[in-house]
C-alpha cells in the first residue's frame, strides 16, 4: 500500500469519526432531555465534556491493550483473540481502580 493511500484512509477514517460524533451527541442529548433526566441546557453542556472523557478512557484502555499485546503476543494470528482479552483486562483494571 502506498503512502498516499494510507494518508487518504486515515483522513477518511478521521472524517467519518468526526461526523459520527454529531449523531452520537444528538442522540445522547435527545435521550436525556426526552426522559426528563436533565434540562436541555444542562444536557448540551455535559455532552461534549462526557464525550471527551469517554475518548480519554477508551483511548487509554486501547493503548493499554496494545501494550500488553505487543509484549505477550507478537504473532499476528493471535491478535484477534488477544486484543479483546487485553481490552477486557483494561476494563477490569479500570473497575478495580
Amino acid at each position: 500500500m502506498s503512502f498516499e493511500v494510507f494518508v487518504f484512509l486515515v483522513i477518511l477514517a478521521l472524517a467519518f469519526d468526526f461526523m459520527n460524533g454529531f449523531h452520537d451527541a444528538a442522540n445522547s442529548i435527545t435521550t436525556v432531555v426526552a426522559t426528563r433526566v436533565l434540562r436541555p441546557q444542562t444536557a448540551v453542556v455535559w455532552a461534549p465534556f462526557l464525550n471527551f472523557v469517554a475518548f480519554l478512557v477508551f483511548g487509554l484502555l486501547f493503548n493499554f491493550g496494545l501494550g500488553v499485546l505487543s509484549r505477550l503476543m507478537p504473532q499476528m494470528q493471535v491478535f484477534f483473540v488477544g486484543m479483546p482479552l487485553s481490552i477486557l483486562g483494561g476494563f477490569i483494571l479500570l473497575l478495580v481502580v
Side-chain angles (χ1 to χ4, degrees):
M1 176 168 40
S2 70
F3 182 72
E4 292 83 15
V5 173
F6 176 74
V7 170
F8 172 73
L9 290 176
V10 168
I11 290 172
L12 186 67
L14 290 174
F16 171 79
D17 194 36
F18 180 73
M19 289 186 285
N20 189 35
F22 294 136
H23 302 267
D24 292 343
N27 289 336
S28 64
I29 291 172
T30 302
T31 302
V32 296
V33 171
T35 56
R36 298 183 186 201
V37 173
L38 295 174
R39 293 189 338 250
Q41 295 84 1
T42 308
V44 169
V45 169
W46 278 25
F49 172 72
L50 293 177
N51 279 336
F52 185 70
V53 168
F55 166 74
L56 287 178
V57 169
F58 287 108
L60 290 173
L61 289 177
F62 183 76
N63 285 327
F64 173 76
L66 284 180
V68 168
L69 261 181
S70 67
R71 286 187 172 76
L72 298 179
M73 295 180 251
Q75 296 87 10
M76 194 61 177
Q77 293 82 6
V78 296
F79 178 77
F80 294 106
V81 174
M83 187 64 182
L85 290 177
S86 62
I87 291 176
L88 179 65
F91 277 121
I92 292 170
L93 181 66
L94 182 67
L95 290 174
V96 169
V97 174

